[in-house]
Amino acid sequence: MYPYTHFADTSSDDKPGSIPVLPAGSSAIVYCEGQFGEQDGKTANGLVRHSEKYDILSVLDSRHAGADAGTFLDDIANGIPILASLPEAIAHAGHVPDYLICGVAPADGLLSPAQRVVLLDGIARGMHIINGLHEFLNDDVEFVAAALVAGVTITDVRRPRDKKDLHLFSGRIFDVTCPRIAVLGTDGAIGKRTTATLLVQALQDHGIRAVMVGTGQTTIIQGGRYGVALDALVPQFCSGEVEHQVVRAFEGEDPDIIIVEGQGALSHPAYLTSAHILRGSRPAGVIVQHAPGRRVLGDFPMMPMPDVASEIALIEAFADTRVIGVTVNHEHLTDAQVSAAIDEIELDHGVPATDPLTRPLSRLVDMVLQAFPELEKALPAQRV
């Protein structure tokens, strides 16, 4: 079997055969040496919390070997062990798993020499590679040769489709009649995807037909049906591709509401994709994810964190939308400090606030229903 590049967008207007079928099987090991639980380990963190496509058997990070991944992240055991090495993880599985997923997500999107060794080892052992980095392994002679010899595939999740198959903004977003909410933030790797995922699940559990549109590689790897790795595109196509995915989700699911994952921050000096998300999805509401415990931007310590007020003002000045709530990332905070931060945000900004990972998810649902009460009215009588 020849290695191939798997494209994220599976829309019906793609040319036949442009998206190969992934190999059978779903068992996976996630490689995240030195980064699990950190900002640059966000892909691994996300897969441990939620994966529709892969059965995550273990995470590789020798720093925390022996711990339960769920307990380490969220104080809730999930049975996924953190192990020290690929041979140990294979022995733990009792067989060679189908996939080795690169779970690190550094700002430059490139592999280090040590990371290359582990991924090549996985190929040699017969594992398919899922790569979410900006560095496309299908363009790397060493990886291509190794995959050919081993008969496995390499999936470069971030590789965009050919430019002739990309979409400019068309105005079709105005045909989407259900509300859209974009989950934006004050920094990168701050929890926007996690909040969006939990919000969709909570709304669905409440009887509201919610669907998520992803805009990053992790959501695609997790198995999201609608999405595009936005930061890998030529900027001219970014808002059009967001619009295209939202329209696909609307036409394919007939949802009550669409939740759009954010990227970076509108104020961020390096990650500007929030602007395209706002332009392309035209959200009626925005939820802002903020980490009160951060003092500087995650990958840019020379830059101070913006405060919630400035980000809200920037978003509402940039787009015809309104911020309907704030979600708190509890890193570096005690539970009492989280409560204090929530109270302060609600008092200062007049919008509901919560921490999706430590507070009841019903608060997220209430945040949405307060902004869009028509969703509650549309519920079947027995669910109201």
Side-chain angles (χ1 to χ4, degrees), residues 43-62:
T43 296
N45 303 341
L47 286 167
V48 162
R49 288 178 171 133
H50 175 75
S51 178
E52 299 178 26
K53 184 180 291 186
Y54 302 105
D55 176 18
I56 307 302
L57 303 182
S58 61
V59 175
L60 303 184
D61 188 343
S62 61

Side-chain angles (χ1 to χ4, degrees), residues 255-268:
D256 297 317
I257 191 167
I258 294 173
I259 309 300
V260 184
E261 174 196 11
Q263 296 293 319
L266 191 58
S267 62
H268 202 288

